[in-house]
Amino acid sequence: MAVLRIVQFPNPVLKQVARPVETVTDGIRALLRDMKDTMYDAPGIGLAAPQIGVSLRVIVIDVEWRDKDRNPRSYINPDIVETSGKITFDEGCLSVPDYGAEVVRASRVVVRALDEDGKPVEEEAEGLRAVCFQHEVDHLNGMLFIDRLSALKRGLYVKRRKKELARER
Ligand code: K1U
Ligand code: ZN
């Protein structure tokens, strides 16, 4: 088991557009294993590779593990190919410490990706699972949930975070 350090805002890796995985190798499967360990340890319901400092298009998701058994799923090169509806959800982010805010997103998505064997998969998700897919795919595109807030709300968070970091130094 390997729990990795989660990078936090404003680390520049969180702003990068992550690179697609070309071949699903044992190295990628090992990365996904470590990402699952890290997600459960955090604890979180999803994690994207840039959050552990790896700029590759891979995510892991398990939105129900606190109520049910663990059922982690991995998605390599995920692409949201269809969206519909609207949902407002109070989001948090493991890379944006001590902050939560409401974000409006699609309530239903269809995602295409590769699985851990490199096989194409297509999945439809609704509700929290749909929100989580959008949040994680945003990470792969260098976007945080605070980038989806008003300039005022985002600005207030950024100011507070900068003060906290200055105090830690
Ligand atoms: O990507 C991340 O930063 C993980 C993030 C995912 C997420 C949260 C909320 C809405 C959409 C996506 C988290 O998991 S934050 C922690 C969290 O929400 C949670 C943790 C334990 C139990 C339940 C929720
Ligand atoms: Zn996040």
Side-chain angles (χ1 to χ4, degrees), residues 39 43-48 51 63 65-66 89-96 105 128 131-133 135-136 139:
M39 173 182 73
I45 56 172
L47 194 74
Q51 293 182 276
V63 296
W65 67 273
R66 289 209 140 186
F89 196 85
D90 196 1
E91 293 191 22
C93 178
L94 299 173
S95 298
V96 179
R105 297 196 189 259
L128 176 58
V131 169
C132 196
F133 266 120
H135 180 110
E136 301 311 333
H139 274 301

Side-chain angles (χ1 to χ4, degrees), residues 51-105:
Q51 293 182 276
I52 50 150
V54 176
S55 195
L56 277 176
R57 300 188 82 79
V58 298
I59 63 173
V60 293
I61 287 181
D62 188 354
V63 296
E64 290 179 333
W65 67 273
R66 289 209 140 186
D67 310 319
K68 299 186 180 172
D69 287 343
R70 287 184 177 185
N71 182 23
R73 298 287 309 273
S74 310
Y75 303 88
I76 299 162
N77 299 340
D79 204 5
I80 295 174
V81 295
E82 219 180 288
T83 62
S84 58
K86 258 189 192 177
I87 186 171
T88 303
F89 196 85
D90 196 1
E91 293 191 22
C93 178
L94 299 173
S95 298
V96 179
D98 309 318
Y99 188 65
E102 287 192 340
V103 180
V104 183
R105 297 196 189 259

